[in-house]
Amino acid sequence: MRRIVLIGPPASGKGTQCRRIQNLLDVPTLGTGKLLRKEVESGSKLGLEVEDYLNRGAYVPDALIMELVKAWMAKRSESGWLLDGYPRTLAQAEALESDASFQAPTLAIALDVPQHELEQRIISRRECADCGATVSVSSPDELNCNDCNGELVSRSDDDLENFRRRYANYSELTQPLFDYYAAKGKLLLVNGSASPEDVFCVINNHLSE
Ligand SMILES: [Zn+2]
């Protein structure tokens, strides 16, 4: 049974690879952002607590997220799973590994992309106002969508300053997981600078072994 965690910095292409791995393996996939939103929608006691943090723009505490992940995992103990962007911290990783109410991952896939390249991606990323496609422009003069000719706009979350804040957070809290999983012999380190096709090819080869 496969239990996979996928880690990587913002703009590393994690979302794309996550969808491809999910298509390949057909396992339940958990993204914590979505999990939090679902809990809020459910109106549960935990959901109300989560909503309070989100409304204040505060970080949802580790312990609370762990409760939600635990509950999600308990229902999927037979199927294996794929975690998108979780764990984010060593404390979360250690809990997954050793807390009996979690299940330990069998593999950690880490996308490695240098910061300057991620920034380049952020700068050149646009979204089509009409069809919603995300495109990477090769020059700032590229104003229209190739597919529908709609207007290309910068995504609101693409602000470079915002990225740098998230990246600093990532390198402090999440990057140490590379060494953590390497020491456990569970790390598949993938060069995320390659094209999405080539990145997936490496992952696919490993998963098909
Ligand atoms: Zn378009």
Side-chain angles (χ1 to χ4, degrees):
M1 194 186 310
R2 294 183 198 271
R3 295 188 295 268
I4 302 171
V5 301
L6 180 60
I7 49 185
S12 60
K14 213 155 43 68
T16 305
Q17 297 306 325
C18 184
R19 279 189 297 278
R20 291 189 179 199
I21 297 168
Q22 189 181 15
N23 285 342
L24 177 74
L25 300 178
D26 194 25
V27 288
T29 302
L30 174 72
T32 45
K34 200 172 155 198
L35 186 70
L36 291 175
R37 284 193 300 276
K38 268 181 80 175
E39 195 65 29
V40 170
E41 280 164 24
S42 80
S44 70
K45 193 163 162 279
L46 218 53
L48 291 174
E49 235 179 292
V50 170
E51 192 173 23
D52 184 48
Y53 284 104
L54 296 181
N55 285 345
R56 286 186 283 129
Y59 276 110
V60 180
D62 248 21
L64 219 163
I65 296 186
M66 281 186 197
E67 280 311 306
L68 293 176
V69 174
K70 222 176 253 184
W72 184 88
M73 231 167 234
K75 288 184 224 147
R76 289 159 184 89
S77 57
E78 305 299 322
S79 58
W81 38 250
L82 170 64
L83 304 187
D84 177 12
Y86 189 93
R88 294 173 79 110
T89 65
L90 267 180
Q92 291 173 349
E94 273 159 6
L96 273 191
E97 207 71 34
S98 55
D99 184 328
S101 46
F102 285 114
Q103 300 164 299
T106 53
L107 176 69
I109 300 175
L111 299 181
D112 189 28
V113 187
Q115 184 178 0
H116 64 88
E117 199 182 308
L118 295 168
E119 293 192 356
Q120 199 49 52
R121 290 184 187 181
I122 295 292
I123 291 166
S124 56
R125 198 155 68 176
R126 301 281 186 282
E127 194 171 64
C128 173
D130 287 347
C131 72
T134 300
V135 294
S136 176
V137 296
S138 43
S139 114
D141 304 331
E142 216 176 304
L143 300 173
N144 295 94
C145 173
N146 265 336
D147 293 333
C148 76
N149 208 36
E151 186 194 358
L152 294 180
V153 293
S154 292
R155 293 169 27 152
S156 54
D157 61 0
D158 279 354
D159 168 39
L160 199 56
E161 209 175 304
N162 178 22
F163 165 80
R164 287 188 175 143
R165 236 183 345 259
R166 287 163 66 211
Y167 187 83
N169 201 25
Y170 165 85
S171 28
E172 187 197 334
L173 298 174
T174 311
Q175 183 101 49
L177 297 180
F178 285 35
D179 287 342
Y180 177 81
Y181 285 117
K184 295 199 171 299
K186 292 181 175 181
L187 183 74
L188 174 67
L189 185 64
V190 183
N191 171 13
S193 296
S195 71
E197 289 69 32
D198 288 348
V199 171
F200 183 66
C201 191
V202 172
I203 295 173
N204 190 11
N205 283 345
H206 183 91
L207 292 175
S208 310
E209 263 166 24

